[in-house]
Amino acid sequence: MIWIELETASTEPVSLAELKTFLRLDRDDEDALAGTCLRAARQAVEAETGLVLTERRVRLAFEVEPAQDEIAIRRRPVRALIGAVGYDEVGVATPLDIASFRLEAMPFGARLILPPGLAHRAQNGVEVEIRAGQAKAEVPDALKLAIIRLAAASFETRGAVGSGLQPAFMPPLARALMSPFRAPRL
């Protein structure tokens, strides 16, 4: 399954002002860099925990096997199914009835129950559009602090490591703050 971001986060869980207060940064000349560090830190926390920390639309693209009746979505929370398209054997897109799909929340993700016969109608795959993520007020304080600590570490190492390689390392406190939110791995 491929996770495709359709929107950028409109509101980060931690504001630039909060990060600047933490950094004791009074000037505005490095706001763009601090904002980049903040977004990279949020993305790193999302990757570590499987949580989607901002509300946004995403597209999931996947192949359907003949006997397959569900798809596991490992990121959470998944709010709603918005639309679905199936691709036939020559790649022609056909809208699918979203009422024939069912979305079930699970503790560490969601399950998308597929309609019967979908593999026959969508031999070249399916794309579903969903609304996922948490509102800013729903993001736990521990994860907000992890984002701040990680963004601060990236900002502090900006001279040694380029912005494209940030975050360069995971501070132990940020890792500890994220640990209760990680999905268990078998």
Side-chain angles (χ1 to χ4, degrees):
M1 175 175 37
I2 301 170
W3 178 277
I4 303 165
E5 301 277 339
L6 298 177
E7 298 175 333
T8 58
S10 59
T11 305
E12 292 290 336
V14 175
S15 70
L16 181 60
E18 290 171 304
L19 177 61
K20 287 176 69 174
T21 299
F22 183 83
L23 293 171
R24 296 182 181 156
L25 187 62
D26 295 329
R27 303 182 337 239
D28 294 336
D29 59 333
E30 292 188 297
D31 282 2
L33 176 61
T36 299
C37 291
L38 197 56
R39 284 186 297 281
R42 188 234 332 133
Q43 291 168 352
V45 170
E46 286 180 338
E48 284 285 321
T49 62
L51 290 168
V52 181
L53 299 176
T54 60
E55 290 184 288
R56 56 193 188 265
R57 285 180 321 120
V58 297
R59 180 173 295 140
L60 303 175
F62 54 89
E63 298 285 329
V64 181
E65 300 296 325
Q68 190 174 15
D69 58 353
E70 68 181 49
I71 296 288
I73 302 171
R74 300 284 179 226
R75 297 192 188 183
R76 61 196 194 281
V78 175
R79 301 284 187 191
L81 183 62
I82 300 170
V85 175
Y87 295 91
D88 66 12
E89 65 276 350
V90 292
V92 175
T94 305
L96 300 172
D97 180 20
I98 62 170
S100 63
F101 290 83
R102 197 171 75 241
L103 196 58
E104 294 179 354
M106 296 177 13
F108 296 104
R111 180 176 26 222
L112 180 64
I113 308 299
L114 306 174
L118 183 61
H120 178 68
R121 291 188 319 242
Q123 295 172 348
N124 270 335
V126 175
E127 291 181 352
V128 295
E129 194 171 313
I130 61 172
R131 170 122 341 252
Q134 297 177 314
K136 183 176 181 171
E138 296 173 330
V139 177
D141 289 338
L143 292 180
K144 289 179 182 179
L145 183 55
I147 291 169
I148 288 171
R149 298 298 300 225
L150 191 52
S154 295
F155 189 80
E156 291 167 1
T157 60
R158 66 192 180 278
V161 180
S163 62
L165 299 175
Q166 294 289 2
F169 72 99
M170 182 75 64
L173 179 58
R175 188 175 303 281
L177 289 165
M178 287 185 284
S179 66
F181 300 96
R182 285 194 183 103
R185 295 186 181 144
L186 301 175

